[in-house]
Amino acid sequence: MRTGKSARPHTDHPSLGRATAPLLASQKSQGKGGYNPIAPERVREILKRLDGLYLEVTCALQHRSAWELLVATILSAQSTDVRVNMVTPELFRKYPTVQDFAALTPEQLQPDVRSTGFFRNKSKSVVGAAKKIVSDFGGQVPDQMEQILTLPGVARKTANVVLGTWFRKNEGVVVDTHVHRISRRLELTRNDDPKTIEQDLTKIIPRERWTLFSHQVIWHGRKLCVARRPKCVDCPLENICHAADKTWSTVEVHKNAK
Ligand code: SF4
């Protein structure tokens, strides 16, 4: 079974220590009107430090196929991966194939996914996606963005998870709640809409990094850069982060960085 690897922050990484980390040119010019939060050298440094923290991370949703990952991702909306991972093993034991799901009505599925929240809509999406995959795609989850987006309940976030994680295709950046929050804190975007945030990120992150970057930032959001009271004192990105809601800072904070 392909499962998400745990990602323990390595905050004591010697090359990431705050005391020794050199200031970037983009930081040195700060105060002279030259600070550019998306300067290539700053973005490279962010990616390097994320690598130091979360080198080999992937999606935490348990799955054995593209279909299982698609279902798990649909169920994860407004829920947690831990909660979804409690539900899916029994779900896929009960309904092992996409054809089994396609034969259901949404109402029949509801009790099995109830604990993930929003179960009526999620049941509708999962059953609708199964029916379309069986009728239009020969029972296989499509591996093309424009096709996967035709499935009920599948928007870009879900499509990017499945295409990036299962099919290893860097078609976009997954903008979930963690990527949304942290991209703003790190001033990689000033936008608030997931679609525009994704466009901003794909302009500055090398394409081959899109999926890995998504997973790394999601893990960072779970482990250190949490929504309330981020653990900045333990964060190796601290001296290049100017987030307005930092809980501890050695650099000036920027009021728009949140
Ligand atoms: S320093 Fe704080 S706000 Fe900035 S990335 Fe780290 S945990 Fe998040």
Side-chain angles (χ1 to χ4, degrees), residues 2 58 162-170 211:
R2 287 155 52 106
T58 185
V162 175
L163 294 176
T165 306
W166 184 263
F167 293 110
R168 311 269 178 210
K169 288 185 164 185
N170 283 305
T211 302

Side-chain angles (χ1 to χ4, degrees), residues 79-90:
S79 186
T80 64
D81 292 349
V82 173
R83 165 59 58 191
V84 173
N85 287 341
M86 288 165 72
V87 167
T88 48
E90 178 53 29

